[in-house]
Amino acid sequence: VRAEPSNLDASLALWSLAGELGHTAENAPVLLALVEMELRGGEDELAVSHWLELQEHGPDLPVRADLLVRVGQALLASGNREAGLAALRRALLTGGAGLNPATALRISRAARDADPGLSRGAARIALSHPELQAAERRQALALTEVHKP
């Protein structure tokens, strides 16, 4: 896996062996890399399955905000609403005040129907960035109005 990190079969074999030997926590980064490769390859169902497994063995593993958004989108699309929203919330928290406005907008759009409050919050974060382009600003403004109480 170290020699060829993009080798899906080797990553799966290492993860399986780690599970058999009880070493999943220290090998969780392998499964995270696998999730990312699967998402890039359009294997969303596998990525969702592996993400849910990862949450059992390495829930505190650091994950980039952009990857959390992709995971959240895949989870929501597969009907895993709570896990999807948890990934999107975590992306928002991971990015913090320095969250890229494009990522904040992706979170907002992904959460629009499932969690309007999260959607509005992410849109507000995007709007707080002065470099936000006019078209994105209009989208973010519209998302702050979604399902307003």
Side-chain angles (χ1 to χ4, degrees), residues 137-148:
R137 186 166 295 283
R138 284 190 298 276
Q139 286 179 12
L141 282 168
L143 287 163
T144 62
E145 298 297 320
V146 170
H147 304 294
K148 221 173 190 176

Side-chain angles (χ1 to χ4, degrees), residues 9-95:
D9 292 331
S11 295
L12 277 171
L14 178 59
W15 179 252
S16 179
L17 181 61
E20 289 174 19
L21 298 174
H23 297 284
T24 54
E26 58 267 28
N27 286 290
V30 171
L31 191 57
L32 179 61
L34 188 60
V35 168
E36 186 167 13
M37 286 186 280
E38 290 165 343
L39 288 170
R40 269 192 263 126
E43 298 286 342
D44 289 13
E45 280 185 40
L46 278 174
V48 163
S49 174
H50 287 136
W51 176 261
L52 295 173
E53 186 176 354
L54 179 63
Q55 294 313 289
E56 294 174 23
H57 301 285
D60 298 325
L61 186 68
V63 183
R64 297 184 328 270
D66 64 309
L67 179 54
L68 285 164
V69 174
R70 275 288 291 125
V71 166
Q73 291 169 324
L75 286 161
L76 287 171
S78 70
N80 287 284
R81 183 181 182 279
E82 291 308 316
L85 289 173
L88 294 174
R89 286 186 197 103
R90 187 171 168 194
L92 206 56
L93 291 172
T94 297

